[in-house]
Amino acid sequence: MSTTVSRDARSRIASLDIVRGAVMVLMAIDHVRVFAGVPTSGTPGIFFTRWVTHFCAPAFVFLAGTAAYLYGVKVQSRTELSKFLLVRGLWLVLLELTLLRFGWTFNFDYASFTFAGVIWAIGWSMVILSALVFLPTTVVTAIGIAIIVGHNAIAPLVYSNESPSWLLRVLYAGGNFSVGPAINVVVLYVLIPWVGVMAAGYGFGAIMKSSPEKRRRFCLTVGTAAIALFIVLRATGVYGDPRPWTSDMGVLPFLNPAKYPTSLLFLLMTLGPMLIAIALLENARGRIARWLGVFGQVPFFYYVLHIPLIHLTALLISLVRTPESTGWLVANHPMMPPEVPNGYQWSLPLLYLVTAIVVTVLYFVCRWYARVKAESGSWLLKLL
């Protein structure tokens, strides 16, 4: 191993890479589920197959903010950090609207379906963070927390308008809007509260530069408090989710706060355990930790590859298993495909088997890319 790789490995915080890597594996489960035609709810097995993947987007966005802070410490220049976030953010938005959209659909009908997903939200959040980084870190953190905690209070104002403007849809309401007479944009991940999540993650970067014991104590304390607050707010229905839970709804709905747009309770439920995981994995060792760490070092490279790989795998399985349904796989996934054809839906064992195969293939590719990226030190490679 080169000295460059050794320096890079020593400069990384292993628990962040492991948690990020675990998130990428869970993400593959959810995206295989999309192409498997498995719904988001139903049996407990189906429910938890979907539920466990709820941790992906919050951790992905939050830790992107953390990575931004740590990069700023490395380059020792707010101007350089701002430039990097601006360029990378716009690059992510472009990829979401072009390459990643094609990976989801395998069609070129961009006018009927232009998809604004999680990478879109991360991209624009980075653009906004590129301006915020000139403020003190405590101020950026406070802004992030205020957005996370307070954004549900503005929901009644947004939804009082029966037909929100395109800007309101992008910022908070989500849904469809048209650009000109022909282009239909579907917004799944709105910018609020994801800008706040990234800003809070940026502030968390300062915690991760403190001593291992201090950051472990912080993660356990704040993570536990977030889970406790989720339980209290969810049980009482006082605030934090547009779909209040009541006791007659049962246990599973208790664990299913609103994700689109993301509610405060959804973020408490997911970010709390993530922080605890970071604390518990501070000294993680062994083969599984190393495997997950590889994904965590190159998460966006993994993301770009995993969608078309899953999609192609689903096409091959369909050609063998249900050839008459193969056309469904070139529809407008993940949001606007036609109804799942009869007989197409996969079993959960097949879903998890395909996930395992995809993740295994990606491990070797990501391990190679992580080595190339570390050895080259190229600014261009940092965009992936």
Side-chain angles (χ1 to χ4, degrees):
M1 183 179 291
S2 71
T3 56
T4 302
V5 176
S6 298
R7 284 196 303 269
D8 183 72
R10 287 197 299 268
S11 68
R12 302 189 70 89
I13 299 173
S15 57
L16 295 183
D17 284 340
I18 294 169
V19 169
R20 205 158 27 216
V23 163
M24 306 316 292
V25 173
L26 293 177
M27 192 177 294
I29 294 174
D30 192 40
H31 296 162
V32 170
R33 180 196 60 79
V34 171
F35 292 109
V38 174
T40 58
S41 61
T43 66
I46 290 175
F47 176 86
F48 282 108
T49 293
R50 170 62 169 167
W51 181 83
V52 75
T53 67
H54 284 336
F55 295 88
C56 298
F60 203 31
V61 178
F62 185 88
L63 294 179
T66 303
Y69 179 89
L70 296 177
Y71 181 75
V73 171
K74 180 180 178 180
V75 299
Q76 289 293 299
S77 168
R78 291 180 186 265
T79 300
E80 181 65 25
L81 172 60
S82 178
K83 175 185 173 184
F84 174 73
L85 289 171
L86 177 62
V87 173
R88 189 161 197 246
L90 293 175
W91 173 240
L92 295 186
V93 171
L94 177 63
L95 287 181
E96 177 79 284
L97 299 178
T98 55
L99 180 65
L100 293 174
R101 185 261 177 219
F102 176 78
W104 277 110
T105 65
F106 282 0
N107 69 55
F108 293 98
D109 188 13
Y110 284 82
S112 297
F113 180 66
T114 297
F115 172 55
V118 67
I119 302 302
W120 155 282
I122 291 176
W124 285 119
S125 294
M126 283 184 172
V127 170
I128 295 170
L129 186 60
S130 72
L132 293 178
V133 295
F134 292 103
L135 299 173
T137 301
T138 52
V139 175
V140 177
T141 308
I143 290 172
I145 293 173
I147 293 172
I148 291 172
V149 173
H151 79 95
N152 281 118
I154 69 172
L157 297 176
V158 173
Y159 294 114
S160 64
N161 187 338
E162 293 183 3
S163 181
S165 67
W166 69 268
L167 182 58
L168 277 179
R169 292 195 180 279
V170 168
L171 292 177
Y172 195 82
N176 299 27
F177 68 89
S178 296
V179 178
I183 300 177
N184 182 44
V185 179
V186 183
V187 180
L188 181 59
Y189 282 84
V190 298
L191 300 192
I192 300 173
W194 295 112
V195 170
V197 174
M198 184 172 288
Y202 179 84
F204 179 68
I207 300 296
M208 295 308 291
K209 293 302 292 182
S210 61
S211 68
E213 180 55 36
K214 181 178 179 180
R215 65 197 189 204
R216 182 176 182 274
R217 185 167 58 249
F218 175 91
C219 288
L220 288 175
T221 301
V222 176
T224 302
I227 295 172
L229 184 58
F230 162 74
I231 293 172
V232 171
L233 291 179
R234 189 64 166 160
T236 60
V238 172
Y239 176 74
D241 197 272
R243 302 194 308 247
W245 177 84
T246 56
S247 58
D248 61 316
M249 296 170 66
V251 175
L252 296 187
F254 187 91
L255 298 173
N256 195 32
K259 182 178 181 181
Y260 306 113
T262 301
S263 67
L264 167 63
L265 295 193
F266 184 90
L267 294 173
L268 291 173
M269 181 186 73
T270 52
L271 292 177
M274 181 207 70
L275 290 173
I276 293 174
I278 290 173
L280 297 180
L281 294 171
E282 182 74 40
N283 298 310
R285 300 292 185 270
R287 182 174 298 177
I288 293 177
R290 290 196 302 271
W291 286 353
L292 294 176
V294 167
F295 295 138
Q297 291 174 46
V298 289
F300 186 62
F301 179 76
Y302 172 105
Y303 189 95
V304 169
L305 292 183
H306 91 292
I307 295 172
L309 179 58
I310 291 170
H311 199 168
L312 180 60
T313 303
L315 274 171
L316 295 175
I317 291 173
S318 182
L319 287 172
V320 173
R321 183 172 168 266
T322 54
E324 69 281 359
S325 302
T326 304
W328 180 74
L329 288 166
V330 293
N332 289 327
H333 297 276
M335 294 182 64
M336 298 178 64
E339 187 175 348
V340 179
N342 290 332
Y344 175 84
Q345 181 178 323
W346 298 2
S347 65
L348 290 183
L350 178 57
L351 186 159
Y352 282 102
L353 175 61
V354 170
T355 300
I357 292 171
V358 167
V359 168
T360 300
V361 171
L362 287 171
Y363 168 76
F364 293 103
V365 180
C366 288
R367 186 177 66 177
W368 164 82
Y369 182 73
R371 183 170 61 249
V372 170
K373 183 178 178 182
E375 290 174 349
S376 72
S378 167
W379 192 87
L380 182 61
L381 289 182
K382 290 190 179 88
L383 294 178
L384 278 177

